Amino acid sequence: MQLKNDLLLRAARGEKTERTPVWLMRQAGRILPEYRAVRNSVSGFKELAETPELAAEVTIQPVDILGVDAAIIFSDILVVPEAMGLPYEMIEQRGPLFPKTIQSQADVDALRSADAHLELEYVYEAIRITKKNLNGRVPLLGFAGAPWTILAYMVEGHGSKTFSKAKKMLYAEPELAHSLLQKITDTTIKYLKTQIAAGANLVQLFDSWAGILSPAQYQEFSARYIAQICDAITEAPVTIFAKGAFFALSDFAKYNCDVIGLDWNMDATTSRQIIGSGKTLQGNLDPCALYGSFDTIRTETKKMLDAFGPERHIANLGHGVYPDTDPEKVRCFIDAVKEFSSR
Ligand code: CP3
């Protein structure tokens, strides 16, 4: 189906656009009272994510309520380890927990890989329903965690500031880490291809824990697997968002990806110099800027747009929107992008 608003896809391909497209990482589920209402009608996050009609409903909410230029499918990066045989729980107010973790080669060998993506039919069905109900209004984004970030949760078992158990594996048992990373990579490639076949117009890799690795470790344990995924996904544009990995931008510039996400520690001009003109940049307003006044948000948004310039830019925050952000402030950011970037 022809999209009515394809600004984001055109920007991703490097085509000229009437204005800069805008969406927010974690726009589905964190901030809207309309989400809480749907969420409270079920037992918890997992039931919501695994019920395609409801997942589709909360995916579309930010398009209706906030006016963003893309929807992102409501799911989580942790559905991949679960499909591979490592179930997760989502603990209220705390976050994810893996009752069982990966500690040995036997644990890795026991994981499914070749057909693990078939366990995620509920995601593909949510994508199909969302596409139908969006009716071509905006593109739908699919996503997955980058292999290193997924390994971090599978080994650590839960969130952490340092992910020391996961990093310990990189130093103490690098071969074990590589065998797990390759299995995650193989599953992720099939998962993203099937998301695209179901209707996702672009897919984003979230490497949320990129910034805790040294540049050399990042090369060895993360970037090369991201490169494999980029090479394998030829059916739709790919975005790499590696939080804190400013040191990897020159590598990403050479990968088969279309968009590179920047966090707010990365300067737009410097990043553009490193990456060159061949990729679209996405980002990168500090999510905390949305705690400022409406005037502050408009000023900061204008500064961001001026720094990136009119071409090859998708406006976004530098990481997911924080849960306690006022939706009116989010709308202010979105409206400011639309107003200041019109050309
Ligand atoms: O972007 C979107 O809005 C689409 C949905 C989405 C979710 N998680 C839903 C979710 C996406 C893209 C994610 C990605 C994700 N999940 C990442 C990468 C992006 C990032 O923020 O760095 C990571 C690291 C996770 C793992 C995860 N899931 C954590 C640490 C938590 C707990 C804290 C939190 O973020 O709320 C989750 C839970 C989660 N994932 C919720 C939602 C809506 C909250 C669950 C609830 O409703 O109670």
Side-chain angles (χ1 to χ4, degrees), residues 36-241:
R36 296 309 307 177
V38 179
R39 170 81 164 68
N40 289 337
S41 73
V42 294
S43 64
F45 170 81
K46 282 189 86 171
E47 187 182 343
L48 181 47
E50 291 164 15
T51 309
E53 291 75 16
L54 295 181
E57 182 182 342
V58 298
T59 297
I60 296 175
Q61 283 175 345
V63 179
D64 290 334
I65 300 165
L66 300 170
V68 285
D69 293 309
I72 179 162
I73 192 66
F74 184 81
S75 184
D76 200 85
I77 61 168
L78 302 177
V79 302
V80 165
E82 180 161 274
M84 294 175 75
L86 206 67
Y88 73 97
E89 293 165 12
M90 204 56 93
I91 311 290
E92 203 70 29
Q93 316 290 343
R94 299 235 1 234
L97 176 75
F98 286 90
K100 232 175 52 186
T101 56
I102 300 295
Q103 305 301 334
S104 67
Q105 189 62 51
D107 292 341
V108 175
D109 294 342
L111 292 171
R112 281 188 291 269
S113 173
D115 54 2
H117 68 291
L118 300 175
E119 302 288 316
L120 296 165
E121 182 53 37
Y122 63 87
V123 179
Y124 313 136
E125 181 62 9
I127 290 176
R128 286 190 288 268
I129 297 171
T130 303
K131 286 291 283 187
K132 183 166 155 274
N133 295 348
L134 273 177
N135 198 23
R137 274 190 290 163
V138 293
L140 176 60
L141 315 183
F143 70 90
W148 153 246
T149 287
I150 296 299
L151 174 145
Y153 283 102
M154 291 174 90
V155 173
E156 196 84 19
H158 47 77
S160 158
K161 280 203 171 68
T162 54
F163 280 91
S164 334
K165 291 187 198 123
K167 285 181 72 176
K168 177 181 171 191
M169 182 184 278
L170 308 188
Y171 286 106
E173 291 178 282
E175 289 315 315
L176 177 59
H178 280 300
S179 74
L180 177 53
L181 288 164
Q182 190 59 54
K183 251 181 149 159
I184 298 167
T185 301
D186 295 345
T187 302
T188 302
I189 288 170
K190 289 183 175 163
Y191 178 46
L192 291 175
K193 281 179 179 286
T194 316
Q195 288 187 38
I196 296 165
N201 298 103
L202 175 151
V203 291
Q204 173 158 329
L205 282 170
F206 285 93
D207 208 354
S208 306
W209 297 105
I212 63 174
L213 298 183
S214 71
Q217 270 190 324
Y218 192 74
Q219 276 278 352
E220 183 179 351
F221 295 103
S222 186
R224 60 200 268 191
Y225 295 98
I226 290 177
Q228 274 189 46
I229 296 170
C230 291
D231 286 342
I233 305 295
T234 53
E235 302 84 349
V238 177
T239 299
I240 303 173
F241 173 66

Side-chain angles (χ1 to χ4, degrees), residues 24 31-34 64-67 289-295 297-298 301 321-336:
L24 280 80
I31 46 164
L32 295 175
E34 291 84 352
D64 290 334
I65 300 165
L66 300 170
L290 301 188
Y291 296 136
S293 68
F294 291 104
D295 272 349
I297 294 169
R298 286 169 59 81
T301 303
V321 59
Y322 294 143
D324 60 345
T325 308
D326 176 355
E328 285 306 319
K329 297 286 175 74
V330 175
R331 208 197 311 263
C332 173
F333 167 66
I334 292 161
D335 290 344

Side-chain angles (χ1 to χ4, degrees), residues 245-255 260 262 265-279 281:
F246 50 85
F247 48 77
L249 292 182
S250 56
D251 293 311
F252 296 157
K254 295 180 233 143
Y255 290 0
I260 298 172
L262 304 178
N265 288 154
M266 302 179 193
D267 173 72
T269 311
T270 315
S271 302
R272 179 54 84 195
Q273 276 162 4
I274 295 168
I275 292 164
S277 57
K279 308 280 187 209
L281 303 182

